[in-house]
């Protein structure tokens, strides 16, 4: 497959998506008739107050959760469950403690029947991509939080997904590591040409990484909003337009 062909894949369409959960016997509507088109190779951030349904939306996109009504289409095909073209990364990387970095990253490919040496060869490429070449032999307990999350990202990329779904992946990291990892994610997104769908509660992170930001409201009946981030890349957090956008997004949530 050529790079050009790959770049065209990973388009997501959300059509009339609704999802509720039962709360004390009453249905709690979390997603209400959501419609959304995400271009192949786009970077979309999803922000919103705690409990507004960000994780639920991501889980539905991943195929881990079925919607009550509506559908998700990937490259025109209806999603019926998890699929190889999608990979999801959670806040905690959930590495296997008894495997070293190399085998943790190659594990998904081994599970798919690739012989161990070939799985490891693929894994090495992604370990380099996330800057951990020196740590192939290290075990998860020897890694910092940021390094462990890099391993999680490498593991997700090794299976070459078209769509990378991330649920607050940097939420547990300290402020400095988080900034570095945001730069890393921006670079990885550019180099791998994946569709990136990133849930975050960090508005600056959303502006730094996304082409568009989906703002999910918490109040019933309020409509989700899409905001274009028309800033050149690589982005400068101190740019006046960047700062103004952050202020605008904060105002969406009544923050100053
Ligand atoms: N499996 C579930 N069963 C019942 N309620 C759930 C379940 N998953 C999520 N919820 C509820 O749905 C709402 C949205 O949750 P979630 O998508 O995790 O929000 P967010 O990620 O934006 O914080 C919350 O009120 C939560 O309690
Ligand atoms: Mg969540």
């Amino acid at each position: 497959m050529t790079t050009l062909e790959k770049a065209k894949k990973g388009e997501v369409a959300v059509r009339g998506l609704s999802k509720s959960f039962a709360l004390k016997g009453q249905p709690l509507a979390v997603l209400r008739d959501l419609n959304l088109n995400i271009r192949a190779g786009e970077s979309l951030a999803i922000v919103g107050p705690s409990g507004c349904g960000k994780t639920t939306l991501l889980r539905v996109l991943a195929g881990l959760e079925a919607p009550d009504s509506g559908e998700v289409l990937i490259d025109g095909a209806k999603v019926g469950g998890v699929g190889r073209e999608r990979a999801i990364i959670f806040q905690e990387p959930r590495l296997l403690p008894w495997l070293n970095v190399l085998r943790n990253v190659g594990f998904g490919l081994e599970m798919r029947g690739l012989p161990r040496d070939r799985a490891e060869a693929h894994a090495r490429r992604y370990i380099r991509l996330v800057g951990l070449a020196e740590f192939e032999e290290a075990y998860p307990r020897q890694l910092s939080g940021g390094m462990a999350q890099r391993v999680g990202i490498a593991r997700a990329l090794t299976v070459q997904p078209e769509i990378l779904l991330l649920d607050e992946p940097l939420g547990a990291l300290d402020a400095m590591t988080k900034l570095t990892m945001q730069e890393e994610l921006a670079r990885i997104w550019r180099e791998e040409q994946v569709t990136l769908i990133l849930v975050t509660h960090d508005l600056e992170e959303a502006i730094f990484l996304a082409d568009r930001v989906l703002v999910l409201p918490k109040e019933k009946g309020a409509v989700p909003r899409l905001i274009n981030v028309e800033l050149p890349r690589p982005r400068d957090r101190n740019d006046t337009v960047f700062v103004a956008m952050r202020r605008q997004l904060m105002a969406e949530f009544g923050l100053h």
Side-chain angles (χ1 to χ4, degrees), residues 28-45:
L28 169 77
V30 178
L31 302 171
R32 304 168 203 92
D33 191 26
L34 181 71
N35 291 288
L36 181 67
N37 289 311
I38 307 166
R39 294 183 298 272
E42 179 174 1
S43 167
L44 178 88

Side-chain angles (χ1 to χ4, degrees), residues 73-90:
L73 305 170
I74 307 282
D75 297 320
K78 188 173 168 172
V79 162
V82 295
R84 289 186 173 194
E85 74 290 342
R86 282 160 287 150
I88 188 162
I89 296 174
F90 302 98

Side-chain angles (χ1 to χ4, degrees), residues 54-55 167-168 199:
K54 302 179 297 293
T55 294
D167 193 0
E168 309 203 14
V199 166

Side-chain angles (χ1 to χ4, degrees), residues 126-192:
Y126 290 97
I127 292 170
R128 268 203 308 277
L129 185 78
V130 299
L132 287 180
E134 320 266 278
F135 294 90
E136 277 179 8
E137 304 297 328
Y139 284 84
R141 65 174 182 280
Q142 299 170 303
L143 306 174
S144 69
M147 288 159 77
Q149 194 53 295
R150 278 168 208 253
V151 175
I153 293 168
R155 182 182 53 190
L157 288 170
T158 300
V159 297
Q160 295 190 295
E162 296 165 13
I163 300 161
L164 204 54
L165 304 159
L166 304 113
D167 193 0
E168 309 203 14
L170 312 182
L173 304 179
D174 65 83
M176 291 289 280
T177 309
K178 196 167 165 175
L179 293 181
T180 315
M181 290 292 290
Q182 288 168 359
E183 310 256 349
E184 293 280 295
L185 271 181
R187 179 180 60 83
I188 289 167
W189 169 71
R190 192 182 64 237
E191 288 179 12
E192 294 300 306

Side-chain angles (χ1 to χ4, degrees), residues 21-23 28 30 48-57 65 167-168 199 216 218:
F21 292 109
L23 185 70
L28 169 77
V30 178
S50 181
C52 73
K54 302 179 297 293
T55 294
T56 303
L57 174 57
E65 195 97 61
D167 193 0
E168 309 203 14
V199 166
L216 290 180
K218 190 159 189 183

